[in-house]
Amino acid sequence: MATQSGALLVDGLTHSYGGELAIQDVSFDIAPGEIVALLGPSGCGKSTVLRAIAGLIQPAQGQIMLAGKHLGGVAARERGIGMVFQNYALFPHLTVEENVAYPLACQHVPKAARKERVRELLALIQLDGFGRRLPRELSGGQQQRVAVARALAASPALLLLDEPFGALDRALRFDLQVEMLRLQKSVGITTLIVTHDQEEAQSLASRLVLMNKGHVEQIDTPSTVYDRPKTLFVNSFIGQANQLRATVVETKAESAVLKLDASGSSLTLARRLDYAVGVRIVLTCRPEQVSVHAAATATSLPARLIVSVPLGPTLVHDLELADGTQVRASQMRSGAAFVPSLGDQVHVTIDADHCHVFPVHSISPSELNKGAKL
Ligand SMILES: Nc1ncnc2c1ncn2[C@@H]1O[C@H](COP(=O)(O)OP(=O)(O)O)[C@@H](O)[C@H]1O
Ligand SMILES: [Mg+2]
């Protein structure tokens, strides 16, 4: 299928709405044919970035280049960009065929070529034979595929998807994500997908651009973002992260010792830590890195089990440490050596090798757990 793909370069995008900064110094790139996800909580500026790339708003600052061409000053319809919105925005009074053909008609593509292209696109989205229907005669998932076909009709160099599965239920979303990946690969088009759903981003994209409050926090592959988060925000937004307050008490070339507020006990990290003795830190660990035991060990912290919830193959425990800090642990249900009961006094250990450490002075208060004692 004759769709071009081009590299996208976004450099230093900044934009305000009526004096309120919505995005600040946003930079990232996408390789030709790559699919990248712009991920972050609602209101962090994802759609603003997309609108600036599409040419629907003029950013106050920054450059956008597509396939080696500067887009500043290029009108939206001249940019060679296809876009799909959350609500699909199909024309309700036009048939599926007419919807898909619309961008071609705007470009005055001759009727025979238009017809051929529409036939090709309907085959691609596996809706041959649906051409004469109106959007309201299709399911949500089918309408979404028609919106994608329409976005691809004029062979754009870049496909922008803004929360394209947002209006669909969970089971259908997964099927459509798989379908979207198949389409994207078969067309080979450079794609930027916006989502607030971390699982969706991880399953679709080769790299994630993590946004928070208008700026970029980290750009990496899904597994790097999960395993090596650069900030506490990224750590907590992708998956779950327990937070424990501690102080650095000893640093060596290859190890460091922390004193945990929750128990007054120490935890040794078998790696170098570049913070001075006395620095206050937040130590984070995933629920799967916390284990629960009946008896105390040299490195365990006393805890009380508050609630346990079975979740598929795992059992999730919410525990309270001596100082009131809440910690979540997850264990596999099958083959568990010890399964605690509600109200039990238990002992938890933390896998120190997989903990992350963030100095308190680098953290904005909104990212700390409620009731944080700094
Ligand atoms: N047209 C607009 N006028 C004024 N403020 C806006 C407008 N669009 C978005 N905003 C504000 O800009 C910020 C970023 O919005 P948006 O880019 O839509 O975020 P997201 O897509 O991540 O949810 C939000 O604070 C939002 O309220
Ligand atoms: Mg949005």
Side-chain angles (χ1 to χ4, degrees):
M1 181 156 295
T3 293
Q4 309 120 279
S5 68
L8 176 75
L9 184 70
V10 171
D11 184 22
L13 274 196
T14 297
H15 190 70
S16 310
Y17 296 103
E20 283 275 323
L21 207 55
I23 54 170
Q24 188 171 24
D25 199 19
V26 170
S27 303
F28 61 92
D29 62 353
I30 313 184
E34 189 184 10
I35 174 162
V36 165
L38 206 53
L39 175 65
S42 185
C44 74
K46 306 177 297 292
S47 294
T48 301
V49 173
L50 226 62
R51 280 183 226 125
I53 296 169
L56 303 175
I57 56 170
Q58 293 303 318
Q61 282 174 46
Q63 308 278 339
I64 302 161
M65 280 180 89
L66 179 59
K69 210 174 96 186
H70 279 286
L71 295 186
V74 180
R77 63 164 56 193
E78 307 294 327
R79 291 191 174 199
I81 293 175
M83 189 153 173
V84 177
F85 299 91
Q86 174 166 354
N87 54 6
Y88 327 129
L90 294 175
F91 303 115
H93 56 288
L94 297 186
T95 63
V96 165
E97 271 172 5
E98 289 163 346
N99 264 284
V100 175
Y102 185 81
L104 304 171
C106 290
Q107 292 187 350
H108 309 295
V109 173
K111 203 165 177 187
R114 230 189 292 169
K115 233 179 136 179
E116 174 54 23
R117 177 76 177 147
V118 169
R119 197 196 53 72
E120 201 179 38
L121 284 160
L122 291 186
L124 181 76
I125 59 166
Q126 296 173 340
L127 283 181
D128 330 62
F130 286 70
R132 298 285 161 83
R133 293 204 192 181
L134 289 169
R136 66 165 180 268
E137 296 167 321
L138 301 177
S139 71
Q142 289 168 336
Q143 290 182 40
Q144 205 265 346
R145 276 143 68 191
V146 173
V148 173
R150 186 179 61 181
L152 293 173
S155 302
L158 175 70
L159 181 62
L160 301 177
L161 305 164
D162 195 351
E163 311 258 7
F165 312 110
L168 303 167
D169 64 54
R170 218 178 153 80
L172 188 60
R173 280 170 83 106
F174 185 74
D175 288 347
L176 276 166
Q177 286 165 15
V178 173
E179 170 67 14
M180 190 66 229
L181 263 187
R182 184 190 68 79
L183 271 176
Q184 196 270 341
K185 295 275 177 280
S186 69
V187 179
I189 186 168
T190 310
T191 302
L192 179 61
I193 179 167
V194 158
T195 177
H196 64 272
D197 179 338
Q198 45 134 334
E199 284 176 21
E200 182 164 291
Q202 292 182 82
S203 60
L204 285 172
S206 59
R207 285 186 304 144
L208 311 181
V209 177
L210 258 296
M211 283 185 69
N212 180 28
K213 295 180 187 152
H215 66 269
V216 174
E217 295 248 341
Q218 187 165 358
I219 304 175
D220 263 312
T221 63
S223 52
T224 303
V225 163
Y226 189 85
D227 295 334
R228 294 202 297 279
K230 285 192 177 143
T231 63
L232 180 61
F233 167 80
V234 172
N235 197 179
S236 310
F237 191 76
I238 303 285
Q240 296 183 342
N242 291 301
Q243 296 184 9
L244 294 170
R245 243 61 56 171
T247 306
V248 180
V249 291
E250 194 183 316
T251 57
K252 290 189 178 155
E254 298 291 324
S255 68
V257 181
L258 309 173
K259 186 168 171 226
L260 300 174
D261 288 13
S263 57
S265 59
S266 55
L267 185 77
T268 302
L269 303 182
R271 62 179 191 269
R272 182 189 168 83
L273 211 57
D274 285 324
Y275 308 118
V277 167
V279 167
R280 296 283 293 143
I281 54 132
V282 171
L283 176 85
T284 67
C285 55
R286 305 272 186 209
E288 62 269 26
Q289 289 146 6
V290 179
S291 34
V292 184
H293 313 273
T297 66
T299 58
S300 67
L301 316 178
R304 193 170 57 85
L305 182 66
I306 297 169
V307 66
S308 283
V309 179
L311 211 63
T314 63
L315 204 50
V316 178
H317 306 298
D318 275 354
L319 303 130
E320 196 175 88
L321 302 181
D323 71 337
T325 304
Q326 303 254 332
V327 171
R328 180 164 291 173
S330 75
Q331 64 176 179
M332 296 309 284
R333 282 201 291 152
S334 59
F338 166 63
V339 178
S341 308
L342 291 195
D344 272 6
Q345 283 296 329
V346 293
H347 303 270
V348 299
T349 52
I350 292 163
D351 174 2
D353 291 343
H354 291 99
C355 288
H356 298 288
V357 170
F358 303 98
V360 163
H361 62 75
S362 73
I363 301 168
S364 87
S366 61
E367 281 150 34
L368 291 169
N369 282 346
K370 287 194 192 74
K373 294 191 267 305
L374 296 178

